Amino acid sequence: LSLDERIGQLFMIRAHSNLGPDHVAEVERQIRQYHVGGLCFFQGTTSKQIELLNTYQKLSAKIPMMVAMDAEWGLGMRFKEGVIDYPRALMLGAVQDNSLIYEYGKEIARQLKRVGVQLNFAPVVDINNNPENPVINYRSFGEDKYNVTTKSYMYMRGMQDLGVAACAKHFPGHGDTDVDSHHELPVIKHSLERLEDVELFPFETLISQGIESVMVAHLNIPALDDRPGIPTTLSDRVVNDLLRKKLGFNGLVFTDALEMEAVAKHFENGIVEIKALEAGNDILLLPNDLDKAFNVIKQQISEGKIHEERINESVRRVLRAKYRMGLDHYQPIREIGVFSDLNNGHALSLKHELIENALTLVRDNDALFPLIQKDKNIASLAIGTNTLSHFQVMLSEYEEIPRYLAKSQITETDKASLLGKLEKYEYILVSLHGMSQHSRNNFGLDESVLSFLNDLNQKKKVLLCIFGNPYSLKYFDDFDEVVVCYDDDRLTQNLAAQAIYGAISFRGRLPVTVTARSAYGMGINTKANFRIGYSVPERVGMSSDSLREVDRLVYELIEKKAAPGAQLLIAKDGKVVYQKEYGFHTYQKSRPVQHNDVYDLASVTKVTASTMAVMKLFEDGKLDLKTPIVKYLPELEGSNKEAMTLEEIMTHQAGLLPWIPFYKATMASESHRPSPNYYSEKNSDEYSVKVMDDMFLRSDYPDTIWQMIIDSDLRPNKSYRYSDLGFYIIGRIVERVSGKALDRYVEEQFYLPLNMSRTIFNPLHKIRKEEIVPTEKDDYFRFTSLQGYVHDMGAAMMNGVSGHAGLFSNCGDLVKIYQMLLNHGYYGGKQFLQEKTIKLFTRRHLGSSRRGYGFDMKQLEPNSHINVCPFTSNSAFGHSGFTGTCVWVDPEYKLIYIFLSNRTYPTMTNNLLQQEDYRTKIQEAVYRAFLPSFVQDQS
């Protein structure tokens, strides 16, 4: 290399991908003119950075540039869109499983390499033992030297194992200062003994373990260099004597940014670079004036003030590092597919896992966590937000509690109003949002907020969730229940709600000491209570990429008009990992399907209502499966049904007819319209059974239906034949034995305790009509669009409540009751059913090829209709519904698959969903999303 080329290798200059053509032109000029050795990219976008980087590297073809980023918590530190924003170091300091930090380092490295970066200015190994630190603070893993060192090592090892150089900073330790070196030169007055024991400890450890680079801070430390005003960056006693000789570091040494005021305001451009080289630094980072710096260095070499060998020494280190980075065979970076590569399922899964392991239950004096549904008079209050926080929205997945808001400043009027509204509650779950990371402004907590919280804590039991810096705990020593969540992003709020209700456990430990009540290492582990959680497919061994086939199939069936829309949910290992809504309520596309919308479940009612009720009554000793049902329904005495048993009915082996079209007997023979002999447009004592708006059936007609069932013929044998009639009978039995209507009984026993607030018969009583997906344009009985009224004609004539049909729900509700079954009857701190009861009802009935008690199962009989995909285990159970619904639970793989649609809209004669086996095809795609070995084994 020529002298100019060698000098150029010592500079790393600033580059942005969002500053426009003038900036780009200036970077190109500096590369051409000065043979710049490295670029440090800052703000911008991934695609633009790759585009510019490929252009810049072409200009540096002889020796490709080393590309760095200051990406301590990954690309999210620099890019605001299109990347995953990972937790900051202080949050990671709370994680107890350090193998996760290694995985984190690997993932950060993978993403950096994808955008053309070979070196990351991380980890921050500073030990943050000053709560007032304005520059390190949340960028440090905490105050404990062993915790900081261990996590720094794991982060370093993860990055370097994947081929990205790590850089320990800010040598010799920037943690104990209250001055920001971006603006002034901090002074640290610790003794040499203290520095060696604390600040230098992580650097010495990482150097011994092979870290590839170190960044020297702009600090004044008299114990290391007693010359007045000398920054460590420019001190040969620090860089050469301490770092190089005493600690034995022979990797790359970077200055901190030379444009920072800690050095820039005290040393003129050009001179600061000379002093940095004389001190022993290899790479001059972000010079204020490259032209001047380059020329001063060249002039000093020519004048013999700097020996050329000093330049060569650093250039050799730079070239060795570039060789290790693979820049000797540099290839341009591929632009296509960068978004999907960066945001793959594994990357998102890792963020989930890191946050889950960091959430810290600091105190729980009354042992309230995890919260048990319905056992507390509780409300939530979000402070610092003008709209419902995502935390509050997520809480409603577990319990419908009143939700209140307060701004970041609380006036006396607001205070009085809030205290009045909260008076009737015993417990207040307070979440703090919109906080700051810095102590200079009370971490974003206004004095009025602190005053209000102290008053509230005197009156109520406050459960405090801090979505911000743990140093803010200094204001909350008087609070007995405190959770620190560290960050305020959507995912952290989501997971905090899950931890509070026990879907996941608290595992984090405070990484800093704030007060005696909030000290380093504090944190309480809680046990999960088997509520359903929410995560991503990769957390449970599934592939997000493979699940795209699910989307393709659903979009295909909508395009073919097998159904206008759908909801889908996949849960595995107790976590919902895929929940989506597709299409619209109708083909008019006026309302898209939404998360809370409910569908008519049709025959899924049989297992979600009737079978559940029988299981509970059986377990309570009020029903027997083998006892003739005449015991429960004395009016069957003398009929052909008196000797039937629930066992026969629930396995569809009672000889019952499949169904009876009850409505036809109430139609006028001439007009083929509902006969006025049976229906009235007005509700009255005589006509009280509401079939539709302005359509009321004669009050005594449900008894007529019941008599028609009693009088109905039986088939000549009791071979398997699916029948609705048996579940009309079951509904009547549940009512007689429990003393309550079926809908009320299952609501009290299951739906309300499970917080299945949108699972209901006759949904118009509680749910807005626009949130109920229509099922059909009825042109044969009710002659109107069915929305909120059960599609099944017989159930409609039973006031909307029957054992075989009538239930409405959505995926988010249904998963709870079926997860309860997977949990052997336990959910959210309550035992709903005994394990032996569930095993009895969900096992294949002796002699049946596809039935348990109430539940459908995988068809084993050859050459029969396939009701589930071939990968389903023989122990799977579930049911499908006429309207285009199904629920399947596979205990062997701890898998729940729920698909809801209104394939019957606008007409039930549309059979494409069944003909094309879409529900089964989607189910197969779900199984194929497991790790490849699973599908290979099954195949």
Side-chain angles (χ1 to χ4, degrees), residues 55-74:
T55 299
Y56 293 155
Q57 289 287 26
K58 285 181 181 177
L59 300 176
S60 188
K62 184 174 181 180
I63 301 179
M65 290 176 289
M66 179 191 302
V67 179
M69 286 188 79
D70 199 352
E72 295 164 14
W73 54 88

Side-chain angles (χ1 to χ4, degrees), residues 104-115:
Y104 171 69
K106 284 175 61 179
E107 180 56 30
I108 297 299
R110 184 191 71 83
Q111 295 188 24
L112 287 170
K113 288 176 73 174
R114 182 62 184 84
V115 296

Side-chain angles (χ1 to χ4, degrees), residues 69-74 89 92 101 104-105 108 112 119-127 136 139-141 147-160 164-171 202-203 206 211-215:
M69 286 188 79
D70 199 352
E72 295 164 14
W73 54 88
L92 298 180
I101 309 302
Y104 171 69
I108 297 299
L112 287 170
L119 183 143
N120 188 12
F121 289 129
V124 172
V125 305
D126 301 315
I127 297 165
I136 302 304
R139 297 164 62 195
S140 164
F141 288 114
N147 190 38
V148 170
T149 301
T150 302
K151 287 181 168 60
S152 297
Y153 167 74
M154 297 301 276
Y155 188 13
M156 171 204 85
R157 180 54 55 208
M159 282 196 293
Q160 294 191 170
V164 169
C167 181
K169 65 182 188 184
H170 305 81
F171 185 82
F203 291 99
L206 266 62
I211 194 158
E212 294 190 24
S213 66
V214 171
M215 178 183 286

Side-chain angles (χ1 to χ4, degrees), residues 604-882:
V604 175
T605 302
K606 292 180 173 71
V607 291
T608 310
S610 304
T611 301
M612 294 289 178
V614 172
M615 291 167 78
K616 181 61 177 171
L617 291 169
F618 168 82
E619 187 172 281
D620 291 345
K622 296 178 180 179
L623 282 180
D624 184 78
L625 300 178
K626 298 182 183 293
T627 296
I629 59 174
V630 69
K631 175 181 177 180
Y632 313 113
L633 302 171
E635 65 267 35
L636 297 182
E637 187 173 354
S639 75
N640 59 6
K641 299 175 181 63
E642 66 175 345
M644 282 183 186
T645 65
L646 276 170
E647 179 178 50
E648 293 172 330
I649 292 171
M650 298 188 79
T651 57
H652 299 275
Q653 296 180 93
L656 291 164
L657 299 176
W659 78 302
I660 299 173
F662 300 110
Y663 79 98
K664 289 187 177 180
T666 65
M667 306 296 283
S669 57
E670 302 83 7
S671 64
H672 302 290
R673 293 268 175 170
S675 170
N677 294 329
Y678 299 101
Y679 298 95
S680 171
E681 294 181 355
K682 296 182 179 179
N683 186 10
S684 65
D685 289 344
E686 187 177 358
Y687 295 91
S688 62
V689 179
K690 191 172 185 179
V691 178
M692 274 293 301
D693 294 331
D694 305 325
M695 185 178 177
F696 295 87
L697 178 63
R698 212 168 65 195
S699 302
D700 63 354
Y701 205 81
D703 291 335
T704 302
I705 291 176
W706 178 232
Q707 192 60 49
M708 292 170 70
I709 293 172
I710 294 173
D711 296 339
S712 64
D713 293 333
L714 296 179
R715 293 184 290 109
N717 61 63
K718 292 188 175 183
S719 60
Y720 170 74
R721 183 86 179 273
Y722 183 80
S723 172
D724 278 347
L725 297 186
F727 281 80
Y728 281 90
I729 295 171
I730 287 174
R732 184 66 64 110
I733 291 174
V734 170
E735 183 174 350
R736 292 282 179 85
V737 173
S738 71
K740 298 175 181 178
L742 173 65
D743 58 340
R744 185 179 168 196
Y745 182 73
V746 291
E747 182 181 58
E748 291 178 358
Q749 295 295 324
F750 297 102
Y751 305 158
L752 289 179
L754 287 166
N755 195 42
M756 297 171 65
S757 60
R758 300 181 79 79
T759 301
I760 185 173
F761 290 86
N762 293 311
L764 287 169
H765 292 172
K766 293 184 179 179
I767 297 174
R768 293 184 302 160
K769 186 175 182 179
E770 57 267 30
E771 295 177 329
I772 306 171
V773 180
T775 47
E776 189 180 20
K777 288 184 175 180
D778 182 337
D779 60 0
Y780 51 87
F781 174 33
R782 285 162 280 188
F783 295 93
T784 188
S785 180
L786 304 179
Q787 187 172 12
Y789 292 98
V790 59
H791 177 266
D792 183 90
M793 296 75 79
M797 297 170 75
M798 302 291 289
N799 224 3
V801 181
S802 180
H804 74 293
L807 193 63
F808 288 71
S809 187
N810 59 25
C811 286
D813 264 14
L814 289 174
V815 71
K816 296 171 186 176
I817 198 165
Y818 288 101
Q819 186 62 47
M820 179 269 290
L821 295 183
L822 269 184
N823 294 347
H824 310 302
Y826 184 83
Y827 190 93
K830 180 176 180 178
Q831 192 74 41
F832 287 84
L833 294 167
Q834 296 301 313
E835 181 178 1
K836 63 182 180 181
T837 303
I838 297 169
K839 284 184 176 180
L840 173 65
F841 277 76
T842 60
R843 75 185 181 201
R844 196 176 308 275
H845 183 254
L846 186 64
S848 174
S849 65
R850 62 174 284 182
R851 286 285 166 181
Y853 288 116
F855 293 101
D856 198 6
M857 301 191 76
K858 185 176 184 178
Q859 174 63 268
L860 299 182
E861 189 174 310
N863 303 319
S864 296
H865 173 72
I866 296 175
N867 58 336
V868 293
C869 83
F871 296 150
T872 308
S873 78
N874 290 343
S875 61
F877 58 89
H879 216 285
S880 60
F882 182 80

